[in-house]
Amino acid sequence: MTMVDKAGRPFDVRPYTPEDYPFLEEMYFLFEPKGRFQGMPPLREDVCSKWIRGLVEDGRNFLAWREGKVIGHVVILPDFKKSNAEYLIFVGKENRSLGVGIELTRTALEEAQKLGLKAVWLTVNAYNFKGVRLYKKFGFQVCDEFSSSSERVMKLEFPKKNP
């Protein structure tokens, strides 16, 4: 689906396909800052490639595209036994604060609900104020018992569906 960012530039969000791997890898190899929070994305290219492969094999992935390049990536990693999923998002520096993260988040949360999951959780740097603000807009709440001075665990519980 084509959207327009806050600067008036079009971008697309769509599900990941195996043919997209080289483009996704390129985004992460160029990503800045690397390894800043919980070591993600990994600094070394070989480790980064292995990490990306794990994400695309284990999760439901969506990519934001502009002019033939991946500018953002969101993944939910479902745990069907717990009926929840971990959420990870990365948006290239030059595309942040433009609405790309909002659209990726919306897409990922819609997918989690389609999968019948009850909740989505994430870990965010305590000083990533923009990220925390984004997650709160979608209804994520800080889980104080799992948070520390340097990071926040946030959780979004989906409303229960009536039978």
Side-chain angles (χ1 to χ4, degrees):
M1 174 188 323
T2 300
M3 287 149 260
V4 177
D5 70 15
K6 292 177 183 176
R9 299 176 301 163
F11 68 99
D12 295 309
V13 173
R14 63 177 175 78
Y16 168 85
T17 66
E19 295 78 27
D20 299 332
Y21 184 83
F23 300 97
L24 181 58
E25 191 176 58
E26 178 184 31
M27 183 197 91
Y28 280 113
F29 287 174
L30 298 173
F31 195 88
E32 291 296 332
K34 284 186 179 64
R36 186 166 181 177
F37 183 66
Q38 296 181 330
M40 297 186 295
L43 296 170
R44 289 187 17 214
E45 287 188 0
D46 60 328
V47 177
C48 189
S49 293
K50 184 176 179 182
W51 175 74
I52 296 165
R53 288 200 189 284
L55 294 178
V56 299
E57 289 171 7
D58 297 340
R60 302 292 174 106
N61 297 263
F62 296 89
L63 305 178
W65 292 83
R66 186 186 328 271
E67 298 174 357
K69 292 188 183 273
V70 174
I71 61 170
H73 174 217
V74 68
V75 58
I76 54 169
L77 299 157
D79 180 339
F80 291 106
K81 289 180 184 171
K82 293 182 180 178
S83 212
N84 69 21
E86 182 177 6
Y87 161 101
L88 297 168
I89 186 169
F90 293 87
V91 176
K93 190 168 25 175
E94 58 283 341
N95 290 286
R96 293 179 194 153
S97 300
L98 294 173
V100 174
I102 290 171
E103 293 304 327
L104 284 168
T105 299
R106 185 182 338 274
T107 301
L109 296 179
E110 287 172 359
E111 180 69 10
Q113 288 184 294
K114 286 178 192 173
L115 293 171
L117 300 173
K118 294 178 183 174
V120 174
W121 64 273
L122 60 89
T123 307
V124 60
N125 184 307
Y127 301 103
N128 181 351
F129 302 115
K130 288 181 182 180
V132 170
R133 194 168 39 251
L134 167 71
Y135 307 137
K136 284 184 175 183
K137 279 183 186 178
F138 280 95
F140 282 87
Q141 296 180 350
V142 175
C143 302
D144 289 326
E145 66 272 19
F146 300 110
S147 298
S148 69
S149 61
S150 63
E151 63 184 44
R152 303 280 178 260
V153 174
M154 299 181 77
K155 184 176 182 181
L156 170 65
E157 294 189 29
F158 296 118
K160 292 183 174 130
K161 294 180 182 176
N162 293 329

